[in-house]
Amino acid sequence: MRTYQKDINADFICKHCGNFVTTHSQISGVVNRNHCPYCLHSRHVDLYHPGDRLCACKALMKPVGLTFKRIRDKYKPDNHGELMLVHRCNNCGDLSINRIAADDDPGMIRAALMNIVKDQPELLWACKINGIRLLEEKGHRHLVQSRLFGRPAELQVEAAVL
């Protein structure tokens, strides 16, 4: 008898905003998708590694900021890794980082950068103990812009002045 495994990376309806989300890698540019490209909310589905879908929590995860993926090259500065979304589970408080997908709303990504609340010491502490350095709007805005739109940060500063 043939058994069928449920597609663990199936299209879904966002539990936060209600939009349909496709998980096809040709559209999103990522292999394992669990966040909405419209509101950037996620679900707490992965336990040990991206795509395992073993977490029993399944609660909503709110985008709380941006960070750079840690890289192993000790000679490169911290900001040379991939730009990543930071999510925090509304139920258990766990943190996770997720790749930004090609179809994610750039305005929402910028909003995630600007909405970091400094008066949330528990969030900042949780990030610190998990080795996540949240990016700050003041110091990283131009770098985030260049990562999103492919222009060097220096050119964006010059274009803003003109």
Side-chain angles (χ1 to χ4, degrees), residues 15-83:
K15 298 289 185 186
H16 182 259
C17 70
N19 282 310
F20 174 79
V21 179
T22 183
T23 59
H24 296 292
S25 60
Q26 294 88 355
I27 296 171
S28 67
V30 294
V31 176
N32 300 304
R33 166 157 247 165
N34 64 348
H35 73 271
C36 174
Y38 308 106
C39 69
L40 303 183
H41 280 72
S42 182
R43 298 265 322 264
H44 195 178
V45 293
D46 295 336
L47 185 60
Y48 299 113
H49 55 81
D52 69 13
R53 305 303 194 245
L54 296 174
C55 186
C57 185
K58 305 290 190 266
L60 274 176
M61 297 186 85
K62 178 181 179 179
V64 295
L66 300 175
T67 191
F68 288 114
K69 187 174 183 177
R70 285 177 257 148
I71 55 174
R72 297 177 196 241
D73 187 344
K74 66 181 182 178
Y75 298 107
K76 288 191 174 184
D78 289 339
N79 62 1
H80 280 259
E82 181 179 356
L83 187 62

Side-chain angles (χ1 to χ4, degrees), residues 123-159:
L123 171 62
L124 298 175
W125 177 251
C127 287
K128 184 175 182 171
I129 63 173
N130 282 286
I132 299 171
R133 189 184 84 180
L134 289 176
L135 302 181
E136 298 178 18
E137 196 272 334
K138 182 180 176 185
H140 296 102
R141 181 171 35 108
H142 295 296
L143 189 54
V144 169
Q145 286 284 109
S146 70
R147 294 289 174 94
L148 290 175
F149 301 111
R151 292 187 292 179
E154 300 81 33
L155 292 178
Q156 291 187 3
V157 172
E158 290 174 14

Side-chain angles (χ1 to χ4, degrees), residues 65-104:
L66 300 175
T67 191
F68 288 114
K69 187 174 183 177
R70 285 177 257 148
I71 55 174
R72 297 177 196 241
D73 187 344
K74 66 181 182 178
Y75 298 107
K76 288 191 174 184
D78 289 339
N79 62 1
H80 280 259
E82 181 179 356
L83 187 62
M84 307 284 282
L85 286 167
V86 180
H87 287 97
R88 186 167 198 192
C89 182
N90 291 345
N91 182 48
C92 67
D94 276 358
L95 291 168
S96 70
I97 60 172
N98 289 290
R99 281 196 158 132
I100 291 175
D103 59 345
D104 286 349

Side-chain angles (χ1 to χ4, degrees), residues 98-117:
N98 289 290
R99 281 196 158 132
I100 291 175
D103 59 345
D104 286 349
D105 183 333
M108 293 302 292
I109 295 170
R110 284 187 294 220
L113 175 68
M114 293 186 278
N115 289 335
I116 295 174
V117 181

